[in-house]
Amino acid sequence: MTNPLLSTAALPDFAAIRPEHVQPAIQELLVAAQAALDEAVKPETPADYDRLSGILDTASERLGAAWGAVGHLNAVADTPALREAYNAMLPAVTEFSTAMGANEALFAKYKAVLTAQGAALPAARQQLLKHAIRDFVLSGAELQGEARERFAAIQERSAELQQQFSEHVLDATDGWSYIASTEELAGVPQDVLDATRLDDGGHKLTLHFPVYLPVMQYAENRALRERLYRAYVTRASEVLEAGSKPEWDNSAAMREIVALRQEEARLLGYASFAEVSLAPKMASSPAEVMAFLRDLARRARPFAEKDLAELREFASGAPLESWDVSYWSEKLKEARYAFSDQTVKQYFTAPRVVAGLFSIIERLFDVSITEAPASVWHDSVKFYELRRGGEKIASFYLDLYARPGKRPGAWMDDVRSRWLKPEINGVREQQLPVAQLVCNFASPVGDKPALLTHDDVITLFHEFGHGLHHMLTQVNDLGVSGISGVEWDAVELPSQFMENFCWEWEVLQQLSGHVDSGEPLPRELFDKMLAAKNFQSGLMTLRQIEFALFDMRLHGEPGAEADVQKLLDEVRAEVAVLIPPAFNRFQHSFSHIFAGGYAAGYYSYKWAELLSADAWSAFEEEGVFNAATGRRFLREVLEQGGARDAIDNFKAFRGREPKIDALLRHQGMA
């Protein structure tokens, strides 16, 4: 039987992939990729872009696609056997990737191509070569002897530790539960009661967000809220809650991950890993990022202090610990704006929201979206195709609901990138982009559709923005098509841009329909939501800055990993207005920076938010559904991908440098 990971089909056969397929397929593909690398670096292989791409990209893309499928299944359908198979091959894949990135002969070949053909190549290929040469340097290609060997060992150990960190968070999240009585759950919404009810009448509470958040917002039982809060903020730490295990503690992994990153920076000649991280980003230095964050914190602080004072006044002397904040905030929002998230949720059924989102995309970017058959990893996953003028241009998987074995959070990942493949027998095949859009919403209960909070709706639009960036590109070179090659601190621009649609009346009429009556969202309720849009925006802004400043200092101050808690306490003392309890171990589950690619890059959410707010202001000025504005955004941002610097894309769309005004105005902090 053919190994599905070795298939050259346009789409992976996810349903057929088994743990036992992983090792033989990846080993075979690694051998082929190594042979291609050996061929590419031969002296007789000409320094020609097409020739090198034909040799290298063909083999490395097949390896990347197969390993990507394994990694994806590891994230959305984790089992002990699959985890074991993934971890068994992780060192070999990391070793090859590190060796290829640091290959001196290949580095020299790329420099020779740039010298010989650079000026004659299209702009996208010149950009790709510029990125490739920079990345060779950052991957240790200029290192020699022991330094080179140590660099490779660091990459392998770091990959192992990051996977371990992620597994510990997943295991700690899945491993905790509490059986609550109906009486303990007074105030909790009915759909959560239905989703958690056991046969004996009790309710199984977990730390998955569709259960955790509504309990924190609505449970009248303060002791229950404290129980869940303690378990949630101590996941994967040395603070053991019931059901937790010492072997899930991420303390040592955190320290070693950061120490290895700092050692890597020293080997490359940088003062800190933060400088390494920023080398391919828009921001020029850690100092520039820190100044940006502290300036934003200064602007946000008065609003955050006002938010907290209003909350304390509303709570009328009741205790206001961290496990009380969501509860009293929801009560205050209900009192001030006369609605609750639970009320709004009844109008957003998942099928209606998805259909409305598709309609907006079709209208704005001149595409059609239709469901199509495909092999999937879970029966709730759907597959869709994008067409323009009847011709397929891209496709995507949509995996909306939380379940055991699925990593928390929401993300977009690429299955295939747009690529005009090297010529074979006079023919060049066009590979079309394929994306995975993954969320963790509450599942449908019984015969009723899943209900989404307005925050869930915003999350879906956000991830779809990443998907559009990947799928609507017109660039044909791997490495700069779609989101590839886009600076990390600009990659959130399209995703955060899409969030703005969720606050437009015309849009919400399309997205909404009451779960029982089908009636669209009433204008009166929308006006209340709009009035509440920036509710506690000061507190939320400072919270994001706290995470970003902690991340930048941790990676910008060598030795800071020796006492991670001390550093986080210092950051909180500087920017937070509400200090969490001493047992809080948020950092132990901060997967973004320890396992998710955001190391010394978490600031990029706020950085890109400035860009996206300013981009959206063009639509505010010219009309939300202005066809010319939509085409300009498509042409100058989405279709360009990484083929131009992000600042050039922005200026081509907006006609000027970005300004902070729109960001402050959108968040009610003008």
Side-chain angles (χ1 to χ4, degrees):
M1 182 178 176
T2 305
N3 189 320
L5 287 169
L6 295 173
S7 170
T8 56
L11 297 171
D13 188 356
F14 283 113
I17 297 171
R18 299 286 179 268
E20 58 268 24
H21 295 138
V22 175
Q23 186 169 351
I26 300 303
Q27 285 178 334
E28 182 175 327
L29 293 170
L30 281 169
V31 169
Q34 183 62 56
L37 177 58
D38 294 341
E39 175 70 19
V41 299
K42 284 180 179 176
E44 59 267 31
T45 301
D48 175 83
Y49 183 96
D50 285 314
R51 177 76 174 129
L52 277 181
S53 177
I55 297 170
L56 277 177
D57 290 344
T58 304
S60 60
E61 203 271 344
R62 277 198 75 197
L63 171 62
W67 185 242
V70 177
H72 174 68
L73 290 175
N74 187 54
V76 297
D78 179 61
T79 64
L82 181 62
R83 181 183 292 189
E84 183 180 355
Y86 178 84
N87 286 333
M89 291 310 300
L90 180 61
V93 173
T94 305
E95 182 182 0
F96 174 77
S97 175
T98 302
M100 183 172 172
N103 189 290
E104 289 180 88
L106 187 59
F107 183 29
K109 194 77 76 172
Y110 270 90
K111 287 191 287 188
V113 172
L114 190 60
T115 300
Q117 297 182 293
L121 291 172
R125 291 188 170 184
Q126 291 186 45
Q127 178 86 326
L128 190 153
L129 284 171
K130 183 179 75 172
H131 287 179
I133 289 167
R134 176 201 67 203
D135 293 343
F136 270 114
V137 175
L138 294 177
S139 297
E142 295 180 326
L143 298 178
Q144 302 294 327
E146 289 184 11
R148 187 183 191 84
E149 291 176 12
R150 180 56 188 158
F151 188 91
I154 287 172
Q155 304 312 305
E156 186 173 329
R157 178 60 177 159
S158 293
E160 178 186 318
L161 286 165
Q162 289 177 64
Q163 172 64 9
Q164 183 188 106
F165 187 99
S166 184
E167 288 176 1
H168 289 174
V169 176
L170 176 61
D171 290 343
T173 304
D174 282 349
W176 188 93
S177 64
Y178 173 70
I179 309 303
S181 66
T182 303
E183 291 72 29
E184 283 179 285
L185 291 171
V188 173
Q190 187 62 45
D191 63 312
V192 179
L193 297 178
D194 293 341
T196 58
R197 184 175 287 111
L198 300 170
D199 291 341
D200 63 4
H203 297 266
K204 184 178 180 180
L205 304 185
T206 70
L207 299 180
H208 290 284
F209 221 59
V211 174
Y212 174 76
L213 182 60
V215 171
M216 298 307 295
Q217 287 179 309
Y218 298 103
E220 296 167 8
N221 188 317
R222 187 167 185 259
L224 178 66
R225 297 199 308 268
E226 181 180 357
R227 182 189 292 269
L228 262 73
Y229 176 83
R230 280 181 175 273
Y232 191 81
V233 303
T234 58
R235 286 176 301 160
S237 78
E238 79 283 6
V239 182
L240 296 178
E241 290 290 319
S244 200
K245 296 182 180 179
E247 59 265 33
W248 296 340
D249 180 10
N250 272 331
S251 300
M254 274 190 306
R255 290 192 295 271
E256 189 177 353
I257 287 169
V258 179
L260 288 171
R261 288 170 178 168
Q262 300 294 13
E263 185 181 354
E264 174 188 324
R266 289 194 299 275
L267 288 171
L268 293 174
Y270 288 89
S272 70
F273 183 78
E275 292 187 359
V276 176
S277 174
L278 293 180
K281 294 182 171 72
M282 285 181 73
S284 61
S285 68
E288 183 185 10
V289 172
M290 301 277 272
F292 166 72
L293 292 172
R294 285 177 166 138
D295 176 55
L296 194 54
R298 178 183 58 79
R299 295 170 185 264
R301 190 173 189 86
F303 296 93
E305 289 172 340
K306 182 170 176 282
D307 291 340
L308 184 57
E310 290 173 347
L311 192 60
R312 290 193 191 283
E313 182 181 356
F314 181 77
S316 302
L320 200 61
E321 300 291 348
S322 292
W323 50 90
D324 303 312
V325 172
S326 294
Y327 176 78
W328 284 110
S329 294
E330 187 61 27
K331 291 288 187 190
L332 173 57
K333 189 164 74 171
E334 288 179 27
R336 180 178 292 176
Y337 305 106
F339 80 95
S340 70
D341 286 347
Q342 190 59 24
T343 303
V344 174
K345 192 177 179 180
Q346 307 304 310
Y347 288 93
F348 292 117
T349 63
R352 185 70 171 256
V353 170
V354 169
L357 168 62
F358 289 177
S359 174
I360 291 160
I361 299 306
E362 291 174 336
R363 180 176 174 183
L364 201 62
F365 300 122
D366 188 30
V367 296
S368 63
I369 303 175
T370 52
E371 191 172 351
S375 172
V376 295
W377 52 92
H378 190 269
D379 57 13
S380 65
V381 177
K382 295 184 180 297
F383 180 76
Y384 299 90
E385 293 178 345
L386 266 72
R387 294 179 179 271
R388 181 177 286 139
E391 182 181 351
K392 186 168 79 168
I393 60 171
S395 51
F396 64 96
Y397 300 85
L398 190 60
D399 183 354
L400 292 179
Y401 306 117
R403 57 182 177 268
K406 183 179 178 183
R407 179 159 59 85
W411 65 91
M412 189 286 295
D413 206 355
D414 58 297
V415 183
R416 300 281 189 275
S417 294
R418 183 180 173 93
W419 180 33
L420 186 58
K421 295 184 177 182
E423 186 177 309
I424 299 177
N425 300 323
V427 178
R428 298 193 72 180
E429 180 189 349
Q430 178 72 66
Q431 177 170 286
L432 297 177
V434 184
Q436 292 152 345
L437 300 166
V438 183
C439 299
N440 269 281
F441 303 146
S443 299
V445 178
D447 58 356
K448 294 221 170 173
L451 300 178
L452 307 186
T453 66
H454 189 242
D455 281 346
D456 289 339
V457 176
I458 291 171
T459 295
L460 179 61
F461 271 67
H462 177 104
E463 298 308 333
F464 212 90
H466 285 307
L468 291 172
H469 205 184
H470 176 67
M471 293 187 286
L472 296 183
T473 185
Q474 289 297 298
V475 179
N476 282 317
D477 291 303
L478 285 177
V480 287
S481 72
I483 62 170
S484 298
V486 176
E487 296 97 313
W488 195 267
D489 41 7
V491 81
E492 297 292 336
L493 192 167
S495 54
Q496 292 175 339
F497 165 85
M498 285 299 297
E499 294 180 17
N500 292 285
F501 284 102
C502 302
W503 293 103
E504 294 293 327
W505 170 240
E506 183 181 355
V507 170
L508 289 191
Q509 285 180 297
Q510 293 181 50
L511 300 183
S512 61
H514 195 279
V515 64
D516 295 322
S517 68
E519 290 294 315
L521 188 78
R523 179 72 202 211
E524 180 187 12
L525 182 52
F526 169 74
D527 288 340
K528 292 174 181 176
M529 291 167 60
L530 204 56
K533 178 187 176 186
N534 292 317
F535 177 67
Q536 296 185 342
S537 65
L539 282 172
M540 287 186 283
T541 298
L542 284 193
R543 185 168 179 266
Q544 288 296 102
I545 292 170
E546 176 189 314
F547 297 165
L549 204 54
F550 163 68
D551 168 42
M552 189 54 64
R553 285 194 57 189
L554 181 67
H555 291 99
E557 300 172 12
E561 71 277 2
D563 195 338
V564 176
Q565 188 65 54
K566 178 175 177 286
L567 177 69
L568 184 52
D569 290 343
E570 289 176 7
V571 170
R572 285 171 172 161
E574 178 183 353
V575 299
V577 296
L578 188 63
I579 306 294
F583 62 76
N584 182 294
R585 293 293 184 272
F586 155 78
Q587 65 273 24
H588 287 71
S589 59
F590 197 3
S591 296
H592 275 79
I593 71 167
F594 291 112
Y598 277 85
Y602 197 82
Y603 76 92
S604 62
Y605 281 105
K606 281 298 171 192
W607 188 277
E609 204 172 337
L610 186 157
L611 301 175
S612 64
D614 201 356
W616 179 254
S617 65
F619 285 79
E620 291 177 316
E621 294 161 11
E622 300 165 24
V624 170
F625 286 107
N626 183 293
T629 314
R631 280 197 302 271
R632 193 167 78 248
F633 188 75
L634 174 66
R635 182 179 67 248
E636 304 296 356
V637 178
L638 298 178
E639 289 185 349
Q640 290 294 330
R644 272 194 320 215
D645 288 347
I647 190 63
D648 294 330
N649 290 346
F650 180 90
K651 289 193 290 189
F653 170 68
R654 204 66 181 95
R656 57 166 172 75
E657 295 278 350
K659 299 177 181 177
I660 197 172
D661 308 48
L663 172 62
L664 296 173
R665 176 168 52 81
H666 285 178
Q667 297 190 340
M669 297 190 299

